[in-house]
């Protein structure tokens, strides 16, 4: 039995001074870059996408008739949805730190990282073999969760997995294990947002510090060589 699945990470929304947590429409620049990435996708069969606006727009830009899959929805942010990173870090620093260091924490009263990992693992376990190479356009958080499952690493490693916009992760199930190949549809520089705004740099710095303190797991970034977990 063989299952082959390529995740494509949808780009985020506009790079504004106060980036908003949750779903957002793509900028014109991101739409152009998503469309230009179509030729780099591998030959494939079925295509699915997360139900978010940005994943819908990414699929449309790629010219793909992707079926909406609720199980691929983004990490539920509860009361934080629609707020800025800066605002959350300033008004709830303890909750923000807990969210980045404890996979069971849900200070926003939404979905914990561990619950997202379980949801994603359940979806992967019900994939049918012999359906061809499937492409899934989804969120960075969902791809991190898929890597947690495929590699068999602790959920605490979640924030240490780097998934750039328009990068790909290919999972192949064969012989009782997952093969994992990390790559790019577009380079981080091509899809980059540019320098961080001074107004959010403090929150991003806190984010990095919290991630670094959460575990000793090294960062896995798209573009590295294939790995295997039995």
């Amino acid at each position: 039995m063989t299952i082959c699945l390529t995740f494509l990470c949808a780009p985020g929304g506009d790079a504004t001074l106060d980036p908003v947590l949750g779903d957002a429409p793509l900028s014109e620049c991101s739409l152009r870059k998503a469309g230009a990435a179509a030729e780099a996708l591998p030959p494939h069969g079925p295509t699915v996408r997360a139900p978010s606006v940005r994943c819908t727009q990414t699929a449309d830009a790629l010219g793909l008739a992707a079926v909406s899959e609720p199980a691929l929805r983004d990490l539920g942010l509860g009361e934080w949805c629609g707020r800025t990173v800066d605002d959350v870090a300033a008004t709830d620093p303890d909750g923000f730190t807990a969210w980045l260091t404890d996979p069971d924490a849900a200070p926003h009263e939404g979905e914990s990282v561990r619950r997202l990992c379980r949801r994603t693992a359940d979806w992967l376990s019900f994939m049918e073999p012999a359906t061809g190479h499937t492409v899934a356009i989804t969120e960075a958080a969902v791809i991190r969760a898929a890597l947690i499952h495929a590699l068999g690493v602790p959920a605490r490693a979640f924030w240490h997995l780097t998934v750039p916009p328009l990068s790909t992760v290919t999972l192949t199930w064969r012989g009782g294990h997952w093969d994992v190949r990390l790559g790019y549809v577009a380079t981080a520089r091509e899809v980059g947002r540019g320098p961080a705004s001074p107004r959010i740099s403090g929150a991003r710095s806190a984010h990095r510090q919290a991630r670094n303190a959460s575990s000793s797991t090294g960062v896995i970034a798209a573009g590295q060589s294939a790995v295997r977990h039995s």
Side-chain angles (χ1 to χ4, degrees), residues 13-23 54 74 77 79-97 99-100 108 159 193 196-211:
D14 288 319
T16 62
L17 291 176
D18 295 309
V20 176
L21 292 168
D23 196 13
R54 62 173 160 258
D74 203 1
L77 296 174
E79 295 179 350
W80 289 0
C81 191
R83 295 176 61 185
T84 67
V85 172
D86 232 12
D87 177 40
V88 171
T91 59
D92 188 8
D94 292 339
F96 188 67
T97 298
W99 182 54
L100 297 172
H108 41 55
W159 293 112
R193 295 181 175 183
S197 162
R199 295 186 65 185
I200 63 173
S201 60
R204 288 181 176 172
S205 177
H207 188 151
R208 287 194 299 269
Q209 291 173 11
R211 287 196 320 170

Side-chain angles (χ1 to χ4, degrees), residues 122-143:
D122 288 344
W123 182 75
L124 287 169
S125 69
F126 283 105
M127 288 198 68
E128 294 290 338
T131 56
H133 191 149
T134 300
V135 167
I137 301 165
T138 188
E139 321 285 350
V142 174
I143 299 174

Side-chain angles (χ1 to χ4, degrees), residues 7-215:
F7 287 103
L8 171 67
C9 183
D14 288 319
T16 62
L17 291 176
D18 295 309
V20 176
L21 292 168
D23 196 13
L26 297 183
S27 67
E28 289 298 323
C29 181
S30 291
L31 285 169
R32 287 195 301 272
K33 289 170 180 174
E39 294 181 0
L41 282 174
H44 59 85
T47 307
V48 294
R49 60 167 174 80
S52 65
V53 171
R54 62 173 160 258
C55 287
T56 302
Q57 290 183 319
T58 300
D60 290 345
L62 289 164
L64 299 176
V67 176
S68 179
E69 173 50 70
L72 296 177
R73 66 189 181 277
D74 203 1
L75 176 65
L77 296 174
E79 295 179 350
W80 289 0
C81 191
R83 295 176 61 185
T84 67
V85 172
D86 232 12
D87 177 40
V88 171
T91 59
D92 188 8
D94 292 339
F96 188 67
T97 298
W99 182 54
L100 297 172
T101 57
D102 180 0
D104 293 305
H108 41 55
E109 299 186 7
E111 185 177 30
S112 70
V113 164
R114 194 179 303 279
R115 285 182 62 188
L116 169 65
C117 291
R118 288 172 180 165
R119 164 163 54 93
T120 305
D122 288 344
W123 182 75
L124 287 169
S125 69
F126 283 105
M127 288 198 68
E128 294 290 338
T131 56
H133 191 149
T134 300
V135 167
I137 301 165
T138 188
E139 321 285 350
V142 174
I143 299 174
R144 288 188 183 101
L147 285 169
I148 291 289
H149 175 68
L151 297 172
V153 296
R156 190 173 295 275
F158 181 86
W159 293 112
H160 291 265
L161 304 175
T162 300
V163 184
L166 294 179
S167 63
T168 60
V169 172
T170 297
L171 305 183
T172 304
W173 176 264
R174 60 164 69 93
H177 61 255
W178 287 106
D179 286 344
V180 180
R181 182 170 296 277
L182 311 172
Y184 283 116
V185 165
T187 67
R189 182 176 181 181
E190 289 170 336
V191 188
R193 295 181 175 183
S197 162
R199 295 186 65 185
I200 63 173
S201 60
R204 288 181 176 172
S205 177
H207 188 151
R208 287 194 299 269
Q209 291 173 11
R211 287 196 320 170
N212 292 338
S214 64
S215 78

